[in-house]
């Protein structure tokens, strides 16, 4: 296909490509296109769930049915397919971290943990062990070779762009990775799958959080951490008790539903979750406005860029003008929905400069009062 470029160079003879295969249409198309280049192509799937639990699981990735789909695609393409059991590592580095973050009153992003752990770190190691020249994935981001080397850019299709979840990709990883679908819309990917006769062409997309297919986050956390259901108080901004709750795991910053507090002059939102006191602090929408955020664990892949930046603080948010001073990210205008545990991803236009984890926020109301 002319609209796909693996950036392996002119000569593909003797090249070897490992493709991360989750069993979905995206990674299956990547495998098919890699095989068409003439390079030796190997499909690798990480089994992230216990076999008995994974069999028949739907709405996820790397599960029982998905492993079978990945194997069937590889059989059709005539390429090798390997499955590696990473259930224990996935549970320890992704699922347990997810549960602990909720207990700490944070809003976690397990997809980032998965990408920086099993999907990239582990798969890259496996790919190198197999003697591959690169690891190709079905992520909707673009790898652009600039004057100083490989750069990470937003996917061409705004509705599918996954750059927010890949901010922790290191430069060494980026040099080795390939994202052949980054310039394509999802509809084109499905067309390619149909043209190539792949059985997964119409397969539905997986859930954002694959290990919570029913969307019951609180139920999963409760199962892993029984102490999570300890009740506490719902208080206003000055600490006045307004009601009670059945566990902080049921609340995230910006949430309005489920508070069950009536008789207030205006709608109330979750402004802060205090794990130490088990208090859920609520207030009017204006109290959600944030002037700045403390960012930890900063990963920088922006080279020597020192110009204007934008920051994205939620996966569905638009990047907004901001300024980074050490670990303090200051927004040009008050930003809403900024929650500890989420990521702040930094951009220069379409290029991803890096990002880090939001550890704390500075309310815009407090900043205005201090000015």
């Amino acid at each position: 296909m002319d609209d796909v470029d693996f950036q392996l160079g002119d000569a593909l003879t003797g090249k070897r490509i490992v493709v991360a295969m989750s069993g979905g249409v995206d990674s299956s198309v990547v495998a098919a296109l890699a095989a068409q280049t003439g390079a030796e192509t190997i499909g690798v799937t990480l089994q992230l769930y216990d076999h008995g639990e994974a069999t028949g699981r739907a709405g996820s990735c790397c599960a029982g049915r998905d492993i079978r789909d990945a194997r069937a695609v590889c059989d059709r393409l005539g390429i090798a397919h390997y499955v590696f059991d990473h259930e224990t590592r996935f549970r320890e580095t992704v699922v347990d971290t997810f549960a602990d973050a909720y207990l700490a009153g944070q809003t976690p992003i397990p997809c980032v943990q998965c990408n920086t752990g099993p999907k990239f770190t582990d798969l890259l190691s496996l790919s190198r062990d197999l003697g591959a020249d690169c690891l190709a994935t079905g992520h909707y981001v673009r790898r652009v070779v600039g004057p100083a080397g490989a750069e990470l850019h937003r996917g061409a299709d705004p509705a599918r762009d996954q750059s927010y979840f890949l901010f922790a990709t290191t430069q060494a990883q980026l040099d080795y990775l390939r994202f052949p679908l980054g310039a394509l819309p999802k509809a084109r990917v499905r067309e390619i799958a149909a043209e190539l006769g792949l059985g997964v062409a119409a397969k539905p997309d997986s859930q954002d959080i694959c290990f919570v297919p029913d969307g019951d986050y609180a139920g999963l956390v409760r199962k892993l951490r029984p102490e999570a259901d300890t009740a506490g108080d719902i208080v206003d901004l000055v600490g006045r008790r307004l009601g009670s709750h059945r566990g902080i795991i049921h609340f995230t910053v910006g949430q309005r539903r489920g508070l069950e507090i009536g008789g207030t002059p205006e709608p109330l939102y979750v402004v802060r979750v205090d794990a130490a006191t088990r208090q859920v602090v609520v207030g009017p929408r204006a109290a959600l406005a944030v002037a700045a955020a403390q960012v930890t664990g900063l990963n920088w892949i922006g080279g020597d860029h020192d110009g204007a930046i934008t920051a994205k603080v939620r996966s569905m948010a638009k990047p907004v003008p901001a300024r980074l001073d050490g670990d303090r990210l200051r927004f040009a205008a008050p930003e809403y929905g900024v929650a500890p545990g989420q990521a702040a991803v930094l951009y220069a236009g379409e290029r991803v400069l890096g990002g880090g984890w939001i550890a704390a926020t500075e309310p815009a109301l407090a900043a205005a009062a201090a000015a």
Side-chain angles (χ1 to χ4, degrees):
M1 301 290 174
D2 294 336
D3 45 3
V4 178
D5 179 14
F6 275 84
Q7 298 179 339
L8 281 175
D10 295 330
L12 292 173
T13 303
K15 297 288 186 179
R16 179 177 293 167
I17 302 173
V18 166
V19 179
M21 299 191 68
S22 65
V25 62
D26 298 325
S27 59
S28 296
V29 167
V30 170
L33 296 172
Q36 286 189 348
T37 67
E40 179 187 1
T41 302
I42 301 172
V44 172
T45 301
L46 299 182
Q47 180 177 307
L48 303 180
Y49 307 97
D50 174 80
H51 178 72
E53 179 185 357
T55 303
R57 177 189 287 265
S60 60
C61 68
C62 306
R65 181 185 305 172
D66 302 298
I67 292 173
R68 292 196 298 272
D69 288 343
R71 181 173 292 116
V73 168
C74 289
D75 287 345
R76 177 174 177 79
L77 298 175
I79 65 175
H81 178 242
Y82 300 111
V83 179
F84 293 90
D85 182 0
H86 271 52
E87 189 267 340
T88 299
R89 170 131 164 91
F90 181 75
R91 184 182 67 248
E92 293 174 349
T93 62
V94 179
V95 181
D96 286 348
T97 300
F98 174 84
D100 290 339
Y102 262 103
L103 279 182
Q106 299 179 343
T107 306
I109 319 174
C111 294
V112 175
Q113 301 289 352
C114 187
N115 285 328
T116 59
K119 285 190 177 177
F120 277 6
T121 304
D122 296 355
L123 270 176
L124 259 73
S125 178
L126 286 169
S127 299
R128 290 191 171 99
D129 288 344
L130 290 170
D133 295 280
C134 70
L135 169 65
T137 81
H139 289 99
Y140 285 84
V141 292
R142 290 177 294 144
R143 179 184 181 274
V144 176
V145 179
E151 301 173 356
L152 184 64
H153 287 235
R154 292 165 57 91
D157 183 351
R160 301 296 305 179
D161 171 49
Q162 292 175 300
S163 61
Y164 180 82
F165 300 103
L166 299 182
F167 78 87
T169 304
T170 67
Q171 188 62 53
Q173 291 172 340
L174 187 57
D175 291 338
Y176 190 71
L177 288 161
R178 299 296 186 273
F179 308 108
L181 305 186
L184 304 178
K186 183 61 176 253
R188 176 59 182 142
V189 173
R190 290 198 181 278
E191 287 177 359
I192 294 174
E195 291 167 6
L196 296 176
L198 302 182
V200 295
K203 185 175 180 178
D205 292 335
S206 62
Q207 301 287 338
D208 284 341
I209 301 182
C210 61
F211 55 89
V212 196
D214 59 359
D216 185 7
Y217 306 152
L220 173 71
V221 176
R222 187 186 308 115
K223 178 181 178 182
L224 296 173
R225 304 288 187 270
E227 69 273 21
D229 259 346
T230 303
D233 293 333
I234 300 176
V235 302
D236 64 13
L237 296 174
V238 297
R240 187 169 46 232
R241 185 180 184 279
L242 302 178
S244 62
H245 65 78
R246 54 195 175 92
I248 62 173
I249 62 171
H250 299 281
F251 302 92
T252 57
V253 171
Q255 180 176 330
R256 179 181 173 186
R257 294 185 177 181
L259 294 174
E260 299 179 354
I261 299 174
T264 58
E266 57 184 321
L268 296 177
Y269 299 81
V270 175
V271 176
R272 186 172 67 257
V273 178
D274 191 329
T277 63
R278 299 194 179 277
Q279 288 184 336
V280 174
V281 182
V282 300
R285 186 176 184 277
L288 290 173
V290 168
Q294 179 189 3
V295 180
T296 61
L298 183 67
N299 177 62
W300 185 262
I301 52 174
D304 58 0
H305 177 84
D306 60 359
I309 68 170
T310 57
K312 185 173 182 177
V313 295
R314 300 180 310 283
S315 63
M316 301 303 292
K318 293 182 179 179
V320 297
R323 184 176 71 252
L324 183 65
D325 183 11
D327 66 353
R328 188 170 183 262
L329 181 68
R330 183 169 182 80
F331 304 106
E335 181 69 0
Y336 289 80
V338 188
Q342 292 278 289
V345 182
L346 311 178
Y347 297 85
E350 295 294 296
R351 182 182 180 184
V352 180
L353 300 175
W357 298 101
I358 298 171
T361 59
E362 299 176 24
L365 291 178

mmCIF file of all heavy atoms in Angstrom, residues 94-128:
data_model
loop_
_atom_site.group_PDB
_atom_site.id
_atom_site.type_symbol
_atom_site.label_atom_id
_atom_site.label_comp_id
_atom_site.label_asym_id
_atom_site.label_seq_id
_atom_site.Cartn_x
_atom_site.Cartn_y
_atom_site.Cartn_z
ATOM 1 N N VAL A 94 0.290 -2.972 36.053
ATOM 2 C CA VAL A 94 -0.839 -2.209 35.501
ATOM 3 C C VAL A 94 -2.070 -2.295 36.398
ATOM 4 O O VAL A 94 -2.575 -1.279 36.879
ATOM 5 C CB VAL A 94 -1.187 -2.691 34.070
ATOM 6 C CG1 VAL A 94 -2.377 -1.896 33.518
ATOM 7 C CG2 VAL A 94 0.022 -2.538 33.145
ATOM 8 N N VAL A 95 -2.562 -3.507 36.641
ATOM 9 C CA VAL A 95 -3.816 -3.661 37.375
ATOM 10 C C VAL A 95 -3.667 -3.231 38.834
ATOM 11 O O VAL A 95 -4.493 -2.479 39.364
ATOM 12 C CB VAL A 95 -4.330 -5.117 37.279
ATOM 13 C CG1 VAL A 95 -5.659 -5.254 38.026
ATOM 14 C CG2 VAL A 95 -4.506 -5.523 35.818
ATOM 15 N N ASP A 96 -2.621 -3.698 39.507
ATOM 16 C CA ASP A 96 -2.414 -3.314 40.907
ATOM 17 C C ASP A 96 -2.156 -1.815 41.041
ATOM 18 O O ASP A 96 -2.631 -1.171 41.985
ATOM 19 C CB ASP A 96 -1.246 -4.094 41.511
ATOM 20 C CG ASP A 96 -1.603 -5.545 41.799
ATOM 21 O OD1 ASP A 96 -2.797 -5.881 41.756
ATOM 22 O OD2 ASP A 96 -0.685 -6.342 42.069
ATOM 23 N N THR A 97 -1.407 -1.245 40.098
ATOM 24 C CA THR A 97 -1.146 0.196 40.114
ATOM 25 C C THR A 97 -2.437 0.978 39.943
ATOM 26 O O THR A 97 -2.654 2.019 40.579
ATOM 27 C CB THR A 97 -0.145 0.568 39.008
ATOM 28 O OG1 THR A 97 1.082 -0.129 39.237
ATOM 29 C CG2 THR A 97 0.121 2.058 38.988
ATOM 30 N N PHE A 98 -3.322 0.480 39.094
ATOM 31 C CA PHE A 98 -4.633 1.093 38.866
ATOM 32 C C PHE A 98 -5.440 1.119 40.164
ATOM 33 O O PHE A 98 -5.993 2.152 40.554
ATOM 34 C CB PHE A 98 -5.356 0.286 37.791
ATOM 35 C CG PHE A 98 -6.774 0.699 37.525
ATOM 36 C CD1 PHE A 98 -7.071 1.736 36.668
ATOM 37 C CD2 PHE A 98 -7.833 0.020 38.127
ATOM 38 C CE1 PHE A 98 -8.383 2.106 36.402
ATOM 39 C CE2 PHE A 98 -9.141 0.375 37.877
ATOM 40 C CZ PHE A 98 -9.417 1.423 37.005
ATOM 41 N N ALA A 99 -5.491 -0.013 40.858
ATOM 42 C CA ALA A 99 -6.257 -0.094 42.102
ATOM 43 C C ALA A 99 -5.660 0.815 43.180
ATOM 44 O O ALA A 99 -6.396 1.518 43.891
ATOM 45 C CB ALA A 99 -6.296 -1.545 42.592
ATOM 46 N N ASP A 100 -4.346 0.831 43.296
ATOM 47 C CA ASP A 100 -3.701 1.659 44.316
ATOM 48 C C ASP A 100 -3.911 3.146 44.051
ATOM 49 O O ASP A 100 -4.029 3.938 44.994
ATOM 50 C CB ASP A 100 -2.201 1.342 44.372
ATOM 51 C CG ASP A 100 -1.925 -0.042 44.940
ATOM 52 O OD1 ASP A 100 -2.801 -0.579 45.644
ATOM 53 O OD2 ASP A 100 -0.829 -0.578 44.673
ATOM 54 N N ALA A 101 -3.947 3.531 42.784
ATOM 55 C CA ALA A 101 -4.172 4.935 42.446
ATOM 56 C C ALA A 101 -5.564 5.380 42.886
ATOM 57 O O ALA A 101 -5.729 6.479 43.442
ATOM 58 C CB ALA A 101 -3.997 5.154 40.946
ATOM 59 N N TYR A 102 -6.564 4.549 42.674
ATOM 60 C CA TYR A 102 -7.915 4.901 43.123
ATOM 61 C C TYR A 102 -7.972 5.019 44.643
ATOM 62 O O TYR A 102 -8.631 5.911 45.184
ATOM 63 C CB TYR A 102 -8.926 3.865 42.630
ATOM 64 C CG TYR A 102 -9.658 4.296 41.377
ATOM 65 C CD1 TYR A 102 -9.325 3.782 40.132
ATOM 66 C CD2 TYR A 102 -10.680 5.243 41.440
ATOM 67 C CE1 TYR A 102 -9.979 4.181 38.981
ATOM 68 C CE2 TYR A 102 -11.340 5.652 40.297
ATOM 69 C CZ TYR A 102 -10.993 5.118 39.071
ATOM 70 O OH TYR A 102 -11.632 5.537 37.933
ATOM 71 N N LEU A 103 -7.267 4.128 45.332
ATOM 72 C CA LEU A 103 -7.237 4.202 46.792
ATOM 73 C C LEU A 103 -6.558 5.475 47.278
ATOM 74 O O LEU A 103 -6.844 5.972 48.361
ATOM 75 C CB LEU A 103 -6.488 2.990 47.365
ATOM 76 C CG LEU A 103 -7.270 1.681 47.490
ATOM 77 C CD1 LEU A 103 -6.403 0.620 48.124
ATOM 78 C CD2 LEU A 103 -8.538 1.882 48.294
ATOM 79 N N ALA A 104 -5.656 6.027 46.455
ATOM 80 C CA ALA A 104 -4.947 7.252 46.818
ATOM 81 C C ALA A 104 -5.717 8.503 46.397
ATOM 82 O O ALA A 104 -5.204 9.615 46.529
ATOM 83 C CB ALA A 104 -3.567 7.258 46.179
ATOM 84 N N GLY A 105 -6.932 8.330 45.894
ATOM 85 C CA GLY A 105 -7.740 9.468 45.487
ATOM 86 C C GLY A 105 -7.359 10.040 44.145
ATOM 87 O O GLY A 105 -7.704 11.185 43.821
ATOM 88 N N GLN A 106 -6.657 9.262 43.326
ATOM 89 C CA GLN A 106 -6.212 9.732 42.024
ATOM 90 C C GLN A 106 -7.091 9.171 40.910
ATOM 91 O O GLN A 106 -7.905 8.278 41.130
ATOM 92 C CB GLN A 106 -4.755 9.337 41.793
ATOM 93 C CG GLN A 106 -3.790 9.934 42.798
ATOM 94 C CD GLN A 106 -2.362 9.501 42.558
ATOM 95 O OE1 GLN A 106 -2.093 8.515 41.856
ATOM 96 N NE2 GLN A 106 -1.421 10.232 43.123
ATOM 97 N N THR A 107 -6.882 9.705 39.705
ATOM 98 C CA THR A 107 -7.585 9.219 38.524
ATOM 99 C C THR A 107 -6.542 8.597 37.598
ATOM 100 O O THR A 107 -5.850 9.308 36.870
ATOM 101 C CB THR A 107 -8.312 10.363 37.796
ATOM 102 O OG1 THR A 107 -9.161 11.052 38.717
ATOM 103 C CG2 THR A 107 -9.151 9.823 36.652
ATOM 104 N N PRO A 108 -6.370 7.280 37.613
ATOM 105 C CA PRO A 108 -5.262 6.642 36.887
ATOM 106 C C PRO A 108 -5.506 6.517 35.389
ATOM 107 O O PRO A 108 -6.641 6.620 34.904
ATOM 108 C CB PRO A 108 -5.191 5.262 37.540
ATOM 109 C CG PRO A 108 -6.599 4.986 37.961
ATOM 110 C CD PRO A 108 -7.165 6.317 38.383
ATOM 111 N N ILE A 109 -4.410 6.286 34.657
ATOM 112 C CA ILE A 109 -4.468 6.025 33.217
ATOM 113 C C ILE A 109 -3.722 4.720 32.958
ATOM 114 O O ILE A 109 -2.528 4.730 32.635
ATOM 115 C CB ILE A 109 -3.823 7.147 32.386
ATOM 116 C CG1 ILE A 109 -4.168 8.513 32.934
ATOM 117 C CG2 ILE A 109 -4.261 7.057 30.923
ATOM 118 C CD1 ILE A 109 -3.454 9.633 32.234
ATOM 119 N N PRO A 110 -4.373 3.583 33.092
ATOM 120 C CA PRO A 110 -3.669 2.302 32.956
ATOM 121 C C PRO A 110 -3.085 2.059 31.572
ATOM 122 O O PRO A 110 -2.103 1.317 31.448
ATOM 123 C CB PRO A 110 -4.751 1.271 33.299
ATOM 124 C CG PRO A 110 -6.043 1.978 33.060
ATOM 125 C CD PRO A 110 -5.799 3.407 33.421
ATOM 126 N N CYS A 111 -3.656 2.680 30.533
ATOM 127 C CA CYS A 111 -3.129 2.463 29.179
ATOM 128 C C CYS A 111 -1.700 2.974 29.056
ATOM 129 O O CYS A 111 -0.896 2.410 28.310
ATOM 130 C CB CYS A 111 -4.024 3.129 28.144
ATOM 131 S SG CYS A 111 -5.675 2.402 28.033
ATOM 132 N N VAL A 112 -1.370 4.049 29.766
ATOM 133 C CA VAL A 112 0.005 4.547 29.742
ATOM 134 C C VAL A 112 0.927 3.560 30.437
ATOM 135 O O VAL A 112 2.022 3.252 29.959
ATOM 136 C CB VAL A 112 0.097 5.938 30.401
ATOM 137 C CG1 VAL A 112 1.550 6.396 30.484
ATOM 138 C CG2 VAL A 112 -0.732 6.958 29.630
ATOM 139 N N GLN A 113 0.482 3.045 31.583
ATOM 140 C CA GLN A 113 1.287 2.070 32.320
ATOM 141 C C GLN A 113 1.531 0.818 31.475
ATOM 142 O O GLN A 113 2.618 0.233 31.507
ATOM 143 C CB GLN A 113 0.585 1.688 33.619
ATOM 144 C CG GLN A 113 0.320 2.849 34.568
ATOM 145 C CD GLN A 113 1.586 3.380 35.214
ATOM 146 O OE1 GLN A 113 2.646 2.795 35.066
ATOM 147 N NE2 GLN A 113 1.479 4.489 35.916
ATOM 148 N N CYS A 114 0.536 0.419 30.722
ATOM 149 C CA CYS A 114 0.663 -0.772 29.875
ATOM 150 C C CYS A 114 1.648 -0.514 28.739
ATOM 151 O O CYS A 114 2.493 -1.355 28.418
ATOM 152 C CB CYS A 114 -0.701 -1.167 29.322
ATOM 153 S SG CYS A 114 -0.701 -2.746 28.426
ATOM 154 N N ASN A 115 1.538 0.675 28.128
ATOM 155 C CA ASN A 115 2.448 0.998 27.023
ATOM 156 C C ASN A 115 3.891 1.093 27.487
ATOM 157 O O ASN A 115 4.812 0.656 26.789
ATOM 158 C CB ASN A 115 2.027 2.316 26.366
ATOM 159 C CG ASN A 115 0.794 2.164 25.492
ATOM 160 O OD1 ASN A 115 0.575 1.113 24.900
ATOM 161 N ND2 ASN A 115 -0.029 3.188 25.428
ATOM 162 N N THR A 116 4.110 1.689 28.671
ATOM 163 C CA THR A 116 5.476 1.857 29.151
ATOM 164 C C THR A 116 6.020 0.585 29.793
ATOM 165 O O THR A 116 7.216 0.482 30.039
ATOM 166 C CB THR A 116 5.560 3.006 30.179
ATOM 167 O OG1 THR A 116 4.683 2.719 31.281
ATOM 168 C CG2 THR A 116 5.151 4.319 29.552
ATOM 169 N N GLY A 117 5.140 -0.389 30.075
ATOM 170 C CA GLY A 117 5.568 -1.643 30.683
ATOM 171 C C GLY A 117 5.526 -2.788 29.696
ATOM 172 O O GLY A 117 6.413 -2.927 28.848
ATOM 173 N N PRO A 118 4.475 -3.615 29.761
ATOM 174 C CA PRO A 118 4.432 -4.805 28.906
ATOM 175 C C PRO A 118 4.519 -4.520 27.413
ATOM 176 O O PRO A 118 5.258 -5.181 26.688
ATOM 177 C CB PRO A 118 3.076 -5.438 29.269
ATOM 178 C CG PRO A 118 2.810 -4.974 30.659
ATOM 179 C CD PRO A 118 3.370 -3.579 30.733
ATOM 180 N N LYS A 119 3.800 -3.496 26.917
ATOM 181 C CA LYS A 119 3.692 -3.334 25.468
ATOM 182 C C LYS A 119 4.945 -2.764 24.819
ATOM 183 O O LYS A 119 5.227 -3.073 23.666
ATOM 184 C CB LYS A 119 2.481 -2.467 25.121
ATOM 185 C CG LYS A 119 1.157 -3.214 25.269
ATOM 186 C CD LYS A 119 0.002 -2.437 24.703
ATOM 187 C CE LYS A 119 -1.295 -3.246 24.801
ATOM 188 N NZ LYS A 119 -2.457 -2.482 24.330
ATOM 189 N N PHE A 120 5.663 -1.904 25.515
ATOM 190 C CA PHE A 120 6.854 -1.336 24.905
ATOM 191 C C PHE A 120 8.128 -1.911 25.504
ATOM 192 O O PHE A 120 8.926 -2.520 24.818
ATOM 193 C CB PHE A 120 6.850 0.198 25.025
ATOM 194 C CG PHE A 120 6.047 0.878 23.953
ATOM 195 C CD1 PHE A 120 5.301 0.146 23.051
ATOM 196 C CD2 PHE A 120 6.019 2.251 23.852
ATOM 197 C CE1 PHE A 120 4.550 0.752 22.069
ATOM 198 C CE2 PHE A 120 5.284 2.879 22.869
ATOM 199 C CZ PHE A 120 4.544 2.132 21.975
ATOM 200 N N THR A 121 8.308 -1.747 26.791
ATOM 201 C CA THR A 121 9.550 -2.212 27.402
ATOM 202 C C THR A 121 9.759 -3.709 27.172
ATOM 203 O O THR A 121 10.824 -4.136 26.708
ATOM 204 C CB THR A 121 9.556 -1.914 28.908
ATOM 205 O OG1 THR A 121 9.351 -0.509 29.106
ATOM 206 C CG2 THR A 121 10.867 -2.322 29.532
ATOM 207 N N ASP A 122 8.746 -4.508 27.474
ATOM 208 C CA ASP A 122 8.889 -5.961 27.350
ATOM 209 C C ASP A 122 8.931 -6.403 25.890
ATOM 210 O O ASP A 122 9.740 -7.247 25.504
ATOM 211 C CB ASP A 122 7.745 -6.666 28.081
ATOM 212 C CG ASP A 122 7.776 -6.394 29.575
ATOM 213 O OD1 ASP A 122 8.725 -5.755 30.035
ATOM 214 O OD2 ASP A 122 6.838 -6.815 30.275
ATOM 215 N N LEU A 123 8.045 -5.826 25.073
ATOM 216 C CA LEU A 123 8.009 -6.221 23.662
ATOM 217 C C LEU A 123 9.268 -5.784 22.925
ATOM 218 O O LEU A 123 9.749 -6.485 22.028
ATOM 219 C CB LEU A 123 6.774 -5.636 22.979
ATOM 220 C CG LEU A 123 5.516 -6.504 23.003
ATOM 221 C CD1 LEU A 123 4.345 -5.777 22.373
ATOM 222 C CD2 LEU A 123 5.765 -7.826 22.275
ATOM 223 N N LEU A 124 9.803 -4.629 23.285
ATOM 224 C CA LEU A 124 11.052 -4.204 22.651
ATOM 225 C C LEU A 124 12.184 -5.169 22.984
ATOM 226 O O LEU A 124 12.994 -5.518 22.125
ATOM 227 C CB LEU A 124 11.416 -2.780 23.093
ATOM 228 C CG LEU A 124 11.087 -1.684 22.078
ATOM 229 C CD1 LEU A 124 9.582 -1.441 22.029
ATOM 230 C CD2 LEU A 124 11.801 -0.391 22.423
ATOM 231 N N SER A 125 12.228 -5.595 24.236
ATOM 232 C CA SER A 125 13.251 -6.554 24.632
ATOM 233 C C SER A 125 13.098 -7.872 23.877
ATOM 234 O O SER A 125 14.079 -8.442 23.375
ATOM 235 C CB SER A 125 13.171 -6.802 26.143
ATOM 236 O OG SER A 125 14.132 -7.755 26.545
ATOM 237 N N LEU A 126 11.857 -8.348 23.758
ATOM 238 C CA LEU A 126 11.603 -9.574 23.018
ATOM 239 C C LEU A 126 11.974 -9.418 21.551
ATOM 240 O O LEU A 126 12.548 -10.322 20.931
ATOM 241 C CB LEU A 126 10.126 -9.961 23.138
ATOM 242 C CG LEU A 126 9.660 -10.537 24.474
ATOM 243 C CD1 LEU A 126 8.142 -10.622 24.517
ATOM 244 C CD2 LEU A 126 10.273 -11.919 24.690
ATOM 245 N N SER A 127 11.655 -8.247 20.982
ATOM 246 C CA SER A 127 11.951 -8.002 19.566
ATOM 247 C C SER A 127 13.447 -8.029 19.305
ATOM 248 O O SER A 127 13.914 -8.591 18.312
ATOM 249 C CB SER A 127 11.365 -6.648 19.145
ATOM 250 O OG SER A 127 9.964 -6.631 19.312
ATOM 251 N N ARG A 128 14.192 -7.418 20.194
ATOM 252 C CA ARG A 128 15.653 -7.425 20.026
ATOM 253 C C ARG A 128 16.207 -8.841 20.200
ATOM 254 O O ARG A 128 17.155 -9.231 19.507
ATOM 255 C CB ARG A 128 16.288 -6.452 21.020
ATOM 256 C CG ARG A 128 15.997 -4.993 20.682
ATOM 257 C CD ARG A 128 16.861 -4.052 21.519
ATOM 258 N NE ARG A 128 16.748 -2.680 21.073
ATOM 259 C CZ ARG A 128 15.983 -1.757 21.632
ATOM 260 N NH1 ARG A 128 15.227 -2.087 22.671
ATOM 261 N NH2 ARG A 128 15.949 -0.525 21.161
#
